Amino acid sequence: MKAHDGIYLDGAWRPALSGEVIDVVDPVDEQVIARVPAAGAEDVDAAVRAARAALPGWAATAPAERAARLSALRDALAARKDEIAETVTAELGAPLAFSQAVHAAVPIAVAGSYADLAARHAFEEKVGNSTVFHEPVGVVAAITPWNYPLHQVVAKVAPALAAGCTVVLKPAEDTPLVAQLFAEVVHDAGVPAGVFNLVTGLGPVAGQALAEHPGVDLVSFTGSTAVGRTIAATAGAAVKKVALELGGKSANVILPSADLAKAVNVGVANVMSNSGQTCSAWTRMLVHRDQYDEAVELARTAAAKYGDRIGPLVNAKQQARVRGYIEKGVAEGARLVAGGAEPPRERGYFVSPTVFADVTPEMTIAQEEIFGPVLSVLRYEDEEDALRIANGTVYGLAGAVWAGDEAEAVAFARRMDTGQVDINGGRFNPLAPFGGYKQSGVGRELGAHGLAEYLQTKSLQF
Ligand code: NAP
Ligand code: MG
């Protein structure tokens, strides 16, 4: 695949000073498809300097003009949607139809939403004898993962640009190609030099240098809880703002009055989607004991249908990690009803769609984020028991509730310690705030709440 051999710095592609490279691998056939620079600390420093230099001009640019650039950015993404889908398929391994419907379509919608919000947001308000200005936080370090590689970039960069911030992006080492495509799109949208900068590189090198850089005002990170913790500690010590979107272990609660077949089928599809590499996936299905056997059978049948239709995991490390969790599930006494640890193919980082029954709340597979196509089905006695299990992990990112009556589902959802709940299969809303309770994160992305993360207030009294 075509790739830039430079980093996008101050409006142009320039060679990285580090001289190091990253091999980009297609997870379906394990072949190297491209090479990109692995930036070092000096490259990160140059990018932060460019972003700092561009900050006063961009912060002073009228919101209507920032909105116009974002609108051009949305249109440029839309014009290249097929190329976006092909790129994500090549570096992440997602089936092309899924790349088109999700990996390409969602970021276009999110970019459009920030073009609208930048145009409509009240960057100035009156509070009694004060005028409150909503000013950009400053230079943003955006550090993103590989699972929704363009969405996670756009969910940070679009609101940052709408707010008047400037950005240095360090995308995941596994998916740098769609980030390079995004940089081209930003360039073509007429965003001024230095406002957006891209440094491809390794987490512990480029990522860490960026998170620690004194020229950064806000670190916005999506990824593992382990790295998020380190970044938050570093940012805290420097009194920098931090936004974290971390892992999840979300509960899909099927109340006895629900349409069981629908709830189970949608629940299985939710977990298998993107090969289970979704932070908000409903990886724990909670079923009343009277319906348990029927639900397990439905889940087994549904998972079997996914057989060959899901893509691989992103890399060998993730494949090994997920297989390790499946082995652990068996070792801790859960009952395997579909899939298993044996890879379904010799080549590629595939894992079979896997369903565990007889999972109890304290088991590792019911507590830790697996990040693969693995569903745990748990049994509950009554509604209080279901709530205790649903809330019984360190995470709180998403969830689902199914019931015959919407009000019954809503009443349950209100008692869940989690940032998002889909009621009877409610659709994804790109304007709704997304983010975690408890250890799933700090802050919110998307919509007006996502924009607010990149703003700070200044009050003038009269
Ligand atoms: P990760 O290491 O946390 O990666 C996320 C981003 O942080 C990547 O850009 C990564 O760079 C960078 N990074 C890594 N170490 C860093 C450091 N010390 N300082 C600054 N940045 C750093 O996640 P992963 O290793 O790819 O995945 C491991 C697990 O994390 C998954 O199994 C899953 O449980 C979880 N995860 C969650 C999400 C989510 O959406 N919440 C997304 C991805 C993964 P590199 O690409 O070079 O590592
Ligand atoms: Mg990593």
Side-chain angles (χ1 to χ4, degrees):
M1 288 212 97
K2 147 177 149 276
H4 290 276
D5 59 4
I7 57 176
Y8 183 71
L9 181 72
D10 203 14
W13 294 93
R14 303 173 205 272
L17 299 170
S18 70
E20 307 281 323
V21 294
I22 295 172
D23 286 338
V24 186
V25 173
D26 181 339
V28 172
D29 62 10
E30 306 181 22
Q31 298 301 301
V32 175
I33 54 170
R35 285 195 174 83
V36 301
E42 293 168 302
D43 299 305
V44 168
D45 183 57
V48 174
R49 283 168 193 278
R52 274 243 82 85
L55 181 63
W58 185 244
T61 299
E65 168 59 14
R66 300 203 298 256
R69 290 308 108 229
L70 283 164
S71 184
L73 191 150
R74 191 222 80 95
D75 292 347
L77 285 173
R80 295 180 69 179
K81 66 179 180 7
D82 292 337
E83 207 186 326
I84 291 168
E86 284 155 21
T87 305
V88 175
T89 288
E91 63 186 351
L92 180 65
L96 191 59
F98 188 77
S99 289
Q100 285 162 336
V102 176
H103 291 300
V106 174
I108 294 168
V110 172
S113 77
Y114 281 110
D116 290 349
L117 277 162
R120 288 191 291 105
H121 188 78
F123 287 93
E124 206 182 306
E125 59 177 319
K126 293 265 188 251
V127 180
N129 65 312
S130 303
T131 300
V132 180
F133 294 94
H134 296 219
E135 300 188 338
V137 165
V139 173
V140 173
I143 300 176
T144 55
W146 39 262
N147 55 326
Y148 289 86
L150 183 60
H151 168 65
Q152 284 143 337
V153 165
V154 172
K156 296 186 191 313
V157 177
L161 298 188
C165 293
T166 58
V167 181
V168 178
L169 168 66
K170 203 303 278 177
E173 68 189 83
D174 292 297
T175 53
L177 300 180
V178 77
Q180 289 194 338
L181 190 159
F182 178 75
E184 292 176 0
V185 166
V186 170
H187 188 91
D188 294 343
V191 173
V195 169
F196 170 81
N197 307 275
L198 169 69
V199 286
T200 50
L202 303 180
V205 183
Q208 194 169 327
L210 182 57
E212 287 174 352
H213 201 292
V216 165
D217 300 294
L218 161 66
V219 185
S220 179
F221 170 82
T222 299
S224 63
T225 305
V227 174
R229 239 184 257 287
T230 314
I231 285 179
T234 308
V239 200
K240 269 179 211 170
K241 250 192 116 178
V242 65
L244 304 173
E245 208 271 272
L246 308 176
K249 193 72 195 176
S250 296
N252 178 14
V253 182
I254 306 177
L255 294 175
S257 60
D259 176 342
L260 184 68
K262 185 174 178 202
V264 172
N265 283 316
V266 174
V268 170
N270 174 285
V271 173
M272 302 310 162
S273 165
N274 210 35
S275 307
Q277 303 168 118
T278 304
C279 47
S280 55
W282 311 331
T283 49
R284 297 180 297 145
M285 183 181 285
L286 275 54
V287 183
H288 189 271
R289 61 171 177 187
D290 293 346
Q291 297 171 318
Y292 190 79
D293 293 340
E294 190 185 350
V296 168
E297 187 49 31
L298 286 164
R300 192 189 60 74
T301 312
K305 277 194 301 215
Y306 280 85
D308 251 7
R309 298 215 317 271
I310 67 171
L313 299 189
V314 69
N315 58 35
K317 187 176 143 210
Q318 287 299 118
Q319 184 195 34
R321 191 180 157 193
V322 172
R323 292 181 60 198
Y325 273 113
I326 296 173
E327 283 161 4
K328 190 138 202 186
V330 173
E332 291 184 4
R335 176 163 55 99
L336 198 55
V337 296
E342 267 324 293
R345 302 192 201 176
E346 259 175 46
R347 191 179 273 274
Y349 310 124
F350 290 88
V351 171
S352 295
T354 296
V355 176
F356 277 110
D358 299 342
V359 179
T360 54
E362 67 291 344
M363 285 182 186
T364 305
I365 57 167
Q367 289 292 327
E368 294 184 14
E369 182 174 58
I370 297 173
F371 234 59
V374 183
L375 171 67
S376 295
V377 190
L378 292 93
R379 191 187 273 108
Y380 69 81
E381 295 292 320
D382 54 28
E383 216 169 283
E384 290 308 308
D385 191 33
L387 187 70
R388 192 176 47 77
I389 297 168
N391 287 339
T393 76
V394 297
Y395 294 116
L397 188 55
V401 183
W402 302 80
D405 172 26
E406 201 169 279
E408 185 192 353
V410 170
F412 191 95
R414 291 295 305 268
R415 299 171 72 198
M416 291 169 79
D417 301 332
T418 192
Q420 280 215 345
V421 184
D422 295 347
I423 302 295
N424 286 335
R427 279 176 299 116
F428 173 72
N429 176 0
L431 290 173
F434 181 89
Y437 279 33
K438 302 192 282 184
Q439 289 181 31
S440 284
V442 175
R444 294 291 179 268
E445 295 199 309
L446 304 180
H449 293 265
L451 178 58
E453 292 288 329
Y454 297 92
L455 293 165
Q456 57 190 346
T457 57
K458 179 184 288 171
S459 305
L460 268 51
Q461 286 59 245
F462 296 92

